Amino acid sequence: MHGSASTYITQREIAVLWSDIESDVVEGRYPLDKLVRSEGRCGWFETKFNDKPAIISLFESLNDEPTLLERLRAVEKVSDKNVAAIYEAGATKVRDTPLVYAVMEYTEENLEDVLRGRALSADETKEVADGLLKALKAIHKERLICGRLEAASVLAAGDTIKLRSDYLQLVPKDTAFEPNAAKDVRDLGSLLHQCLTQKPLKRATDANDPSLQLLPAPFVLIVRRTLSGQATVDEIATILRTGAAPAPAPMSAPAAVSAPVPTSGPASPPAQPKAVPTPVPKAEPVKTAVRSDEIMKKLLPEIEEPSPKRTGLIVGGVVVLLLLVGIVVRAMLHSGRAQDAQNPVVVVSPETTTPRKPPPAVPPVAAKPRAAAPNPVVSAATPAAAPSTSLAGTWRVVAFTYNFQGQAEHKAHTINEKHPDLEASVFSPKGSGAPYLVTLGSATDRASAFRLRDKAVGEGLPRDTYAQNYSH
């Protein structure tokens, strides 16, 4: 273990930040122009492909180069206007750092940037949903899944919605595909909710959440259906197109029709049933009448002669039931009085009730906080002000995220060599185990965290570096 770790560090000593390799050239033909975005081990740059604008995505290849290339080349086979095309994929080195690259179709913007400023209208959301449903159908044919369908994964080229393709995952043939595809559909529902409200769904949200009723049609039905975890791409497409859930499959035909299928007699069997029914109806009414009379004669004595014992039992049961109901009602009334005695403040005399005078009671409550500095706002209308004091010292600035501790520690070491003032270190939100976050500075308050984040971006760290509260 110690030997492999030291070998790993030696191989990665010359690792560089994405912003440091702007203006370099990949494979002698793909210039790394402007850094568009960076996220941990992946960086996006503007480049040229056949003298046309394109995007090149670079991945730090550690020990998973074959896996990266396999899935990128699977994406190359997808040909759909709603999936960002990959023109070429391969392995390379930049400043002695091993990388895997994918040259992709050029896109102008992503949905995450749009939603920071505003929510989408219902018509705009419908366009996003239509494009993504077509994209999901295309990638699922190649056993590819999104894995994490989010706003940053939705791109736009002109008026066309495109699914980001360089991060798609390939499901092995020995792994069940349907559960993974169903997760894509569930994530789509959360994304559509975010389009309309600027807020993704919480993990605990279920289809009965009353807040979903505020969504415009047909997205109420779509989001609720995706939350079931069993919806399919075709089903959601039908709801989007028609505004209603697909009709259930028709029931199969009665077995009685298919039962008489004797193949030995093609002509004679049909003729025989036609001759048989004519005499039978004449005899059937007589038989059924006789049977019904006999049955009624047997049943009438029991109905006409009720047993006195049964009558007594019925009356006794009713009396007992009424007594039980009375006891329950009495107990409920008694418990209600007990609760009123314990909470006398809730009881208001009708003589003193004045519907138009609640506002005068507010000024005394607002005046008390002036004596207590830590809680300047006590009004129930502004509960968000109270948590601000309790969050001090729990905010962290996150620059990179890794699944392996060794990678995170090496990245922190690299940052400290170039930017010692940022004090990079490794933090695990769970206390131990992945994910491992490369954080800057120490835990601090919210305002200080955002100041440090702006400083780090100004020094060349990724523009998607963020500050987050880790109080729980």
Side-chain angles (χ1 to χ4, degrees):
M1 290 295 293
H2 294 292
S4 59
S6 62
T7 303
Y8 166 76
I9 294 296
T10 302
Q11 291 175 346
R12 305 293 299 135
E13 278 180 352
I14 318 178
V16 292
L17 296 175
W18 295 120
S19 57
D20 294 338
I21 62 174
E22 280 184 333
S23 76
D24 283 21
V25 179
V26 172
E27 292 297 293
R29 58 186 183 277
Y30 300 124
L32 300 181
D33 296 331
K34 178 184 175 182
L35 176 63
V36 178
R37 64 189 297 176
S38 61
E39 44 188 20
R41 61 184 294 202
C42 176
W44 273 27
F45 295 84
E46 292 181 352
T47 189
K48 297 283 186 181
F49 181 80
N50 292 338
D51 295 327
K52 294 181 180 179
I55 297 291
I56 184 167
S57 176
L58 299 178
F59 296 88
E60 287 182 298
S61 57
L62 306 176
N63 54 357
D64 58 349
E65 180 179 300
T67 304
L68 290 171
L69 288 173
E70 181 184 15
R71 66 180 178 83
L72 288 173
R73 283 170 179 157
V75 178
E76 284 186 88
K77 301 176 184 177
V78 178
S79 178
D80 188 271
K81 72 172 186 176
N82 295 112
V83 180
I86 290 183
Y87 302 135
E88 182 182 324
T92 187
K93 279 190 176 183
V94 175
R95 302 190 187 184
D96 295 326
T97 300
L99 301 170
V100 169
Y101 70 91
V103 183
M104 302 186 299
E105 178 181 2
Y106 185 79
T107 51
E108 293 95 3
E109 59 182 350
N110 68 73
L111 182 60
E112 184 179 47
D113 292 338
V114 175
L115 293 179
R116 284 197 188 103
R118 67 176 181 88
L120 302 188
S121 67
D123 288 340
E124 290 172 327
T125 304
K126 192 170 184 179
E127 290 180 15
V128 171
D130 182 62
L132 291 179
L133 285 167
K134 292 174 180 176
L136 290 178
K137 191 167 186 177
I139 67 171
H140 286 176
K141 288 180 181 178
E142 301 294 336
R143 293 186 67 84
L144 290 162
I145 58 169
C146 295
R148 50 183 179 91
L149 179 56
E150 53 192 8
S153 310
V154 182
L155 312 174
D159 295 330
T160 304
I161 298 297
K162 292 185 178 288
L163 178 66
R164 176 182 171 183
S165 55
D166 64 322
Y167 80 114
L168 297 178
Q169 306 296 314
L170 182 62
V171 178
K173 292 183 179 179
D174 58 351
T175 302
F177 181 75
E178 288 73 18
N180 292 283
K183 183 181 181 302
D184 279 352
V185 178
R186 191 190 190 287
D187 290 347
L188 174 64
S190 177
L191 179 60
L192 296 179
H193 182 278
Q194 185 179 359
C195 287
L196 295 164
T197 66
Q198 294 181 281
K199 298 177 182 178
L201 282 174
K202 296 179 180 178
R203 284 290 177 185
T205 305
D206 61 20
N208 297 319
D209 192 310
S211 67
L212 301 181
Q213 195 62 37
L214 301 176
L215 300 177
F219 298 105
V220 179
L221 185 57
I222 288 176
V223 174
R224 282 181 171 167
R225 185 67 189 120
T226 59
L227 286 173
S228 70
Q230 299 176 349
T232 64
V233 170
D234 289 338
E235 180 183 356
I236 301 304
T238 300
I239 298 175
L240 184 69
R241 185 175 63 255
T242 65
M251 297 180 64
S252 58
V257 177
S258 57
V261 189
T263 54
S264 58
S268 56
Q272 290 176 1
K274 291 181 181 178
V276 173
T278 49
V280 173
K282 296 179 181 178
E284 281 181 355
V286 178
K287 291 181 181 179
T288 53
V290 172
R291 288 174 184 172
S292 62
D293 291 342
E294 292 175 354
I295 293 170
M296 291 300 292
K297 286 177 182 178
K298 292 178 181 179
L299 293 177
L300 282 174
E302 297 182 4
I303 301 172
E304 293 171 358
E305 300 176 4
S307 171
K309 294 182 179 179
R310 290 183 182 177
T311 304
L313 290 173
I314 293 172
V315 173
V318 172
V319 171
V320 171
L321 181 60
L322 291 174
L323 288 173
L324 290 174
V325 171
I327 293 170
V328 171
V329 172
R330 185 182 181 85
M332 292 174 64
L333 291 174
H334 178 70
S335 64
R337 292 193 190 101
Q339 289 179 358
D340 293 341
Q342 293 175 1
N343 303 294
V345 180
V346 180
V347 180
V348 180
S349 172
E351 297 176 359
T352 59
T353 303
T354 53
R356 299 298 180 183
K357 290 185 179 181
V362 176
V365 178
K368 291 180 182 179
R370 296 180 183 175
N375 297 307
V377 181
V378 186
S379 172
T382 58
S388 62
T389 57
S390 64
L391 299 183
T394 59
W395 286 78
R396 295 178 182 271
V397 179
V398 182
F400 298 92
T401 303
Y402 289 91
N403 288 325
F404 300 99
Q405 186 174 358
Q407 299 174 11
E409 290 175 348
H410 182 69
K411 180 60 73 175
H413 176 72
T414 304
I415 294 174
N416 286 333
E417 285 185 342
K418 293 180 175 291
H419 308 278
D421 56 315
L422 297 180
E423 299 178 1
S425 60
V426 177
F427 170 67
S428 174
K430 299 178 181 178
S432 63
Y436 296 98
L437 311 181
V438 178
T439 60
L440 309 178
S442 57
T444 183
D445 59 272
R446 184 180 186 277
S448 299
F450 277 95
R451 283 197 297 270
L452 179 56
R453 183 262 174 198
D454 294 340
K455 175 184 177 183
V457 173
E459 291 187 18
L461 263 69
R463 275 170 278 188
D464 58 355
T465 298
Y466 62 93
Q468 183 170 330
N469 173 31
Y470 287 95
S471 61
H472 49 270

